[in-house]
Amino acid sequence: RAWYPGHVQKAKRQIRENLKKIDIVVIVLDARAPVATTSFEMKIFKDKQRVFLLNKTDLADSEYNKKWACEIAKLYPTLLVNKDTKRKELLTFLKSVPTKYANPRIAVVGVPNVGKSTIINKILGRHKAKTGAQPGITRGVQWVNVEGLTVLDSPGILFSEIFSKDIAAKLLLIGSLPIENVDDEIFDYAFKIYASAAGVQKDIVQFLEEYGRSRGLLKKGGQVDYEKAKTLFFKEVSEGKHGKLTYDTDFEKFWEVLKNG
Ligand code: GDP
């Protein structure tokens, strides 16, 4: 559990407090890893209207985007989005969510780095500021009225509660785990998942050797600086610089994680 951050309890308490007032929970997933980004404690939302945004579709495999959207839409209102999605499309979707409330109160939640702040900014028609919010910023929570919706102006930050190597590796690949907290076993496993999705035949040592050399990431003696190469490579992968790849492809697993979380 080395990658489990210490501020989780605080973030959880804040979400629970705000939850009482919320009618619709907008769960943001990363389209590259819909299972891994659903691996949080879902029970806290069980009596809420839940909807899903599959975000960062520009970084994922376009065929899988469609497949995932169809699958999740079997049970929940679902929309494929990315940073270029028009505000109007997002608002139309949110306003179409079935609810018994006249001015439903909406919160945007998800694991770190899936794009919650970007989505809140878009809903509110704000062009910048407040991205990359940290847990704890929630003090002085604000509700903002937007076209008949009452939106919580603060992302609900959730943390993975299901500790499997597979989920940790995929969270690493999409930039949802701080690289410093990850051990070598997870790096190796994440590389295998990446290589399989990208059709890369090399192992991590071979690959980083060539990658590090090509980027000039060398130590004094001229050997490749493996740590630097590893850090830069995984950062680039999470930013989509090594292909539009979808790592989660198992629909059954999604429903299982959703049910158990
Ligand atoms: P949060 O931690 O969930 O609030 O995520 P942010 O909204 O801060 O976004 C995290 C990073 O992902 C930022 O660098 C955003 O610019 C970037 N980002 C957000 N949405 C998208 C998207 O749809 N596509 C791409 N390529 N990047 C995105």
Side-chain angles (χ1 to χ4, degrees), residues 55-56 58-59 82-83 111-118 131-132:
N55 192 35
K56 302 204 183 184
D58 58 314
L59 305 182
N82 63 48
K83 57 184 173 10
V111 300
N113 210 42
V114 288
K116 299 176 295 296
S117 310
T118 306
T131 49

Side-chain angles (χ1 to χ4, degrees), residues 1 7 12 26 36 62 66 71 93 102 109 119 130 148 159 164 201-202 213 225 228 253 257:
R1 297 200 171 193
H7 47 255
K12 256 186 170 174
V26 177
S62 60
K66 285 182 233 154
E71 181 67 20
F93 169 76
V109 307
I119 284 164
K130 277 216 167 182
F159 295 94
S164 75
Q201 308 288 334
K202 301 172 181 111
R213 205 160 285 287
D225 189 329
K228 270 195 187 152
K253 188 91 188 158
V257 166

